[in-house]
Amino acid sequence: MTDPERDLELLPPGTPVDLSNCEREPIHVPGSIQPRGVLLAVSEPDLVVSTVSENLADLVGVDPAAALGRRLPDVLGVAAAEAVARSASAFGDLRERNPVEVTLDVGSGPLPVDALLHRAVLGPGEDGAPPASLLVVELEPARGPRPFSFPNTYQAVRGTVGELNRASSLQELYDTTAQAVRQLTGFDRVMVYRYDADYNGEVVAEAKASGLNSFLGLHYPASDIPAQARALYEKNWIRLIADVDYRPARLVPVLLPATGQPLDLTYSTLRSVSPIHVEYLQNMGVRASMSISLLRDEKLWGLIACHHYSGPHAPPYATRAAAEFLGSTLSLRLVDRAEEEEVHRALRVRSTLAWLTAATLDEDRPLTDTLLGSPSLLDLLPADGVVVCLQGHVGSRGVALPEGAAEAIAAWAAARGEDVVATDSLRLHAPDLQASVGPARGVLVVPLPEGQFVLWHRAEAVRTVDWGGDPHNEAIAAREGAGVRLSPRKSFERWRETVRDRSEPWTAQELAEVGELRTHLLEALYARSRRIVRAAETLQRSHLTDPPESACLDVAVRYVPATREAQVGGDWYDVFEQPDGSTVVVIGDVVGHDTAAAADMAQLRGLLRGIAYDSAAGPAAVLTRLDGAIAGLGLGAMATVLVGRLTRDPATGTTRLRWSSAGHPPPLVAGPGPAQPSAVQVLTPPRAELLLGVDPAVARSESEVVLDPGSTLLLYTDGLVERRDRVVDDGVDRLAAELAALRERPIGELCDELLVRLLPEGAEDDVALVAVRLRS
């Protein structure tokens, strides 16, 4: 059994686990559950029991062996089984309808029970069929008020949600959540736990019972919650251990007869936890715990960690649902707050970058002087100093480095073969340079052709970190029989570490912005010196990137430069996915040629991406905002652009295309089926549209069309259809006819053949081409 996300061989079920092998523990298939409830796995639609937990009789009154092979009504009773079947047959995610409230008729009388349902996938379906699965039914004695309802759950936390919405700082968000979850659940201690980039955790808020020592501000190493546990937290957002000292209830049989593998309990609420984690909690004196995931962009950002010390503690399902709702609300507010701060920072950086980009077009002024003027590269990226070496000119601003240090660091960065090289510890990553770098501890370097570079450096940022126990002594060795077993540390006392020889880290946003600056610098270098062919090639690659992989679309892109001169032109394409799953396709053509058009193209492409990404704005609104940005920033650019947004309906398999054009040639759509010229549709806008850069106040129209599976969408620039001896409309008709003839070809082959047939003697003008086929 392997972990596909980490390409790691997992331990076979039943293998003894300690700290030496726990990263390979298959915690999603423990083969047992926590005994606060029972589990049954049944086939559908016949509801025949294939797996049960060995404690089934404790709650249901039926021996596990007797339950296997029987139908669910024979085990739970007709009424309870029918309630489970009704919920399981409804459309949508089973977990969104939990709990199913049932009553079991046991020896002591009617017993109210919460049934929690999910499906466990057994393997891929055959011949396009849905994946095979089992319906997993987990039963817990009902402890909360009945009937359960989500409105009641919301009412329980309504006041807290209001406080979170009014919070003016991140710390207030953390503190409010910790207090509310503790008041709601009754745990002795509730902590908000935040991860850094390496998944080391820090307690940033705490609500606790009086008399408990504080964990606030303590850090915990990433190994305390290994990678496979973090992956589970991203899928199953809440996990309760009601009694740390529980005895696991095995599943019978441990291996499923249909697959020979243990049942996947990723989404189980009763899933048994790793014995290493149990030992870890016991070493902390914890008797019960609950964790709630905090996510950002579907990745684990942190946890709400709840500890109880006075004994077992089992909040009812309604309380857990309310706590999970609070966690989701905090996640959303954290994203909102981060996005607000990022927007303000990004606007400032964008303004500086736009100014620097425009200033580099002044070829009478050395690039080095331009970048070190006012504003300078230190306004773009905070650092203690910056060194620029371009076209034979070397200059610096801020704190100076020793003679030769910048060149040595730049050579080290260039040898790594990356577009942007960053480290917050030269001592760690480039130990041979330590004697010559002066105050620099962290550097960010943009290597450029022919030994040119831009280099920011930051000084040491000494800081102290309070750890919950010594992070360098995470395990203790204990003799166990004839061998030695590595166990989790037993001491969690505050352990202070002073971190030296590191600068403030470079953020992902900073790296992305420097990457964009690099593109603009390559444009400027190309414009100033056509001999730097490698700079031009790198520039072209940076703009004409491969489209993203998609489960629903086959995408091919092509770019053909004009044959009359090797140059970077103003044609471009772009394909990127939105967070909501839709796909944006863009094709554009800047008026003009050579580096001026390339510079305009780069700015328009970057602006359009920034406007369109993660925005609810339609294509027409995107073009309107882009037109306004061209005017507002004084870019002076003019371009034809077409923006489309493809949104797939999973229920019907059809895809909706919303599109808007700013004077661009019309897109073509070839439907599925036999090749017929009439089946190729030329999508014309309702009226003629002005190109961008003419009148930012013009109202732009938007069109929509529904595409069937198997259809092919083709976007192109005018270089494909326009000739000196032929009008554009005739070229579009010719392209439509060729598309009809080639429509059944693989998407990449279709693009290549279209270029061969329409450009037999090469391209008179640059040509960009995007073809999108909707998979059936």
Side-chain angles (χ1 to χ4, degrees), residues 6 274 296-297 423 564:
R6 296 182 295 154
S274 166
R296 180 178 181 183
D297 298 330
T423 176
R564 65 179 180 273

Side-chain angles (χ1 to χ4, degrees), residues 274-434:
S274 166
I276 290 292
H277 184 64
V278 169
E279 190 174 356
Y280 178 90
L281 293 173
Q282 290 170 335
N283 289 350
M284 295 182 77
V286 174
R287 298 291 305 282
S289 80
M290 187 171 77
S291 300
I292 304 166
S293 303
L294 299 176
L295 303 175
R296 180 178 181 183
D297 298 330
E298 299 184 359
K299 294 295 182 182
L300 193 63
W301 176 93
L303 295 171
I304 300 174
C306 310
H307 288 174
H308 208 65
Y309 302 95
S310 55
H313 188 61
Y317 182 83
T319 299
R320 292 172 358 230
E324 183 180 3
F325 180 77
L326 273 183
S328 298
T329 303
L330 176 58
S331 294
L332 292 174
R333 291 296 293 123
L334 290 171
V335 170
D336 289 344
R337 173 70 62 177
E339 288 179 348
E340 290 170 9
E341 295 176 354
E342 176 57 23
V343 164
H344 290 300
R345 191 202 63 79
L347 286 174
R348 174 182 56 79
V349 170
R350 286 285 171 191
S351 175
T352 302
L353 185 59
W355 193 96
L356 291 172
T357 301
T360 60
L361 301 178
D362 180 5
E363 296 190 13
D364 295 330
R365 186 182 186 190
L367 274 176
T368 299
D369 294 350
T370 298
L371 299 176
L372 297 177
S374 182
S376 76
L377 292 177
L378 290 181
D379 296 301
L380 179 71
L381 183 66
D384 293 296
V386 62
V387 182
V388 179
C389 174
L390 293 172
Q391 295 185 306
H393 299 273
V394 179
S396 65
R397 187 160 181 165
V399 176
L401 294 178
E403 184 176 354
E407 290 75 10
I409 296 171
W412 163 79
R416 296 172 69 93
E418 301 170 10
D419 291 348
V420 178
V421 177
T423 176
D424 63 355
S425 177
L426 277 171
R427 179 179 181 181
L428 179 64
H429 296 112
D432 295 340
L433 298 177
Q434 282 303 295

